[in-house]
């Protein structure tokens, strides 16, 4: 529905873009099943190494999905510029999850006649493949730049937007405003040392001091998992109750 979504957004902007607006756009891609147009697959093909393994093929198809979504998101940006409101518009681009493209693969989790195309999965682990998502924030009139790497949370987006609009973050809000950092201030020491939490399918994870990540899984996943060279594995085989990463 990527092309349909962008068409609807352009139609809506044509009707309402002349006055102040809040617009939430939800692209379902990049997402399985991977069925990007050939144009995007050709653009993201990096060579014969894309056929080295099943995982490398899926990574290529996923890049095609990213390219396809980016192309349609760019149409929205172009429309804002043609309307003369791009500079004064605050834009946030992020995602809810990534996909795993590792040796193990997940299959038959969205079975159905309409489900065709390449498929890896998400929701069974809290590995970085799944939880490290993009976060791009464009403030009105701001020049482009990159913030020094640091872990932040999607929970921070709400307070950041409130701060940018001159409002105080809601009482009890779990996130912290990133607005001072976007304005050029360094990431505060307290933010660099505070635990970052995430939650997924029957699992919780906490990153400590930007370095150590502890994952606690409470139940076996009911995803159907294929392991490397082992055929169809049991659910219990793929449950590790406690994991600590450096």
């Amino acid at each position: 529905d990527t092309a349909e979504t962008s068409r609807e957004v352009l139609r809506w902007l044509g009707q309402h873009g002349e006055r102040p607006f809040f617009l939430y756009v939800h692209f379902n891609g990049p997402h399985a099943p991977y069925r990007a147009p050939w144009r995007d697959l050709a653009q993201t093909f990096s060579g014969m190494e894309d056929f080295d393994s099943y995982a490398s093929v899926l990574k290529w198809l996923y890049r095609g999905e990213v390219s396809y979504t980016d192309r349609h998101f760019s149409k929205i940006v172009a429309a804002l510029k043609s309307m003369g409101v791009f500079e004064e518009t605050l834009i946030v681009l992020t995602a809810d999850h990534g996909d795993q493209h590792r040796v193990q693969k997940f299959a038959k989790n969205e079975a159905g006649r309409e489900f065709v195309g390449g498929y890896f999965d998400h929701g069974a682990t809290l590995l970085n493949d799944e939880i490290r998502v993009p976060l791009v924030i464009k403030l009105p009139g701001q020049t482009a730049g990159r913030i020094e790497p640091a872990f932040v949370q999607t929970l921070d987006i709400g307070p950041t937007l409130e701060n940018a609009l001159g409002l105080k973050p809601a009482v009890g809000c779990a996130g912290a405003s990133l607005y001072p950092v976007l304005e050029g201030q360094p990431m505060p020491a307290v933010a660099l040392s505070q635990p970052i939490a995430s939650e997924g399918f029957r699992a919780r994870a906490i990153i400590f001091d930007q370095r150590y990540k502890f994952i606690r899984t409470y139940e076996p996943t009911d995803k159907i998992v294929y392991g490397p060279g082992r055929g169809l594995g049991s659910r219990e085989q793929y449950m590790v109750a406690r994991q600590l990463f450096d």
Side-chain angles (χ1 to χ4, degrees):
D1 56 0
T2 298
E4 181 181 346
T5 299
S6 65
R7 283 195 298 268
E8 178 66 15
V9 170
L10 297 180
R11 184 194 67 79
W12 190 92
L13 285 173
Q15 294 179 345
H16 306 285
E18 296 299 320
R19 56 183 186 270
F21 62 85
F22 172 85
L23 176 61
Y24 174 80
V25 182
H26 187 124
F27 285 109
N28 198 44
H31 199 284
Y34 304 153
R35 294 182 294 188
W38 282 108
R39 167 182 173 181
D40 299 281
L41 293 175
Q43 182 174 332
T44 55
F45 182 66
S46 58
M48 294 307 295
E49 61 268 21
D50 286 337
F51 295 103
D52 285 348
S53 66
Y54 183 75
S56 60
V57 171
L58 268 292
K59 289 180 181 179
W60 167 41
L61 298 179
Y62 189 80
R63 292 196 304 270
E65 284 271 323
V66 174
S67 172
Y68 182 43
T69 306
D70 182 66
R71 185 155 55 85
H72 281 277
F73 179 75
S74 297
K75 293 183 178 182
I76 299 173
V77 172
L80 295 173
K81 290 181 177 179
S82 68
M83 295 164 54
V85 299
F86 175 78
E87 289 298 328
E88 63 193 63
T89 302
L90 192 157
I91 300 175
V92 177
L93 174 66
T94 191
D96 57 341
H97 63 77
D99 271 7
Q100 278 198 58
H101 301 113
R102 294 174 178 260
V103 176
Q104 75 270 23
K105 61 181 182 287
F106 303 84
K108 299 180 181 179
N109 294 319
E110 295 187 21
R113 289 178 300 174
E114 71 285 351
F115 185 85
V116 293
Y119 187 64
F120 260 48
D121 201 14
H122 54 265
T125 78
L126 290 175
L127 300 177
N128 284 355
D129 312 54
E130 299 194 42
I131 67 173
R132 287 191 66 181
V133 296
L135 177 59
V136 181
I137 301 177
K138 187 201 82 68
L139 297 177
Q142 188 185 47
T143 57
R146 181 183 291 270
I147 305 298
E148 284 299 311
F151 287 103
V152 296
Q153 307 178 84
T154 50
L155 290 172
D156 299 333
I157 295 175
T160 301
L161 295 182
E162 290 176 309
N163 203 172
L165 296 172
L167 305 172
K168 292 183 178 181
V171 176
C173 185
S177 173
L178 303 174
Y179 184 75
V181 181
L182 297 174
E183 290 281 90
Q185 299 181 27
M187 188 74 71
V190 62
L192 291 174
S193 62
Q194 70 179 8
I196 301 294
S198 58
E199 58 181 318
F201 194 72
R202 301 174 179 170
R204 303 288 184 271
I206 297 179
I207 297 175
F208 299 96
D209 295 325
Q210 310 288 306
R211 178 175 177 180
Y212 297 102
K213 179 166 68 175
F214 175 74
I215 298 178
R216 175 73 170 94
T217 303
Y218 294 94
E219 295 181 53
T221 176
D222 60 1
K223 303 282 187 178
I224 302 174
V225 184
Y226 288 85
R230 287 179 285 185
L232 182 62
S234 67
R235 291 193 303 165
E236 290 72 19
Q237 181 179 352
Y238 288 94
M239 177 189 169
V240 181
R242 296 173 179 83
Q243 296 171 286
L244 181 66
F245 295 92
D246 182 347

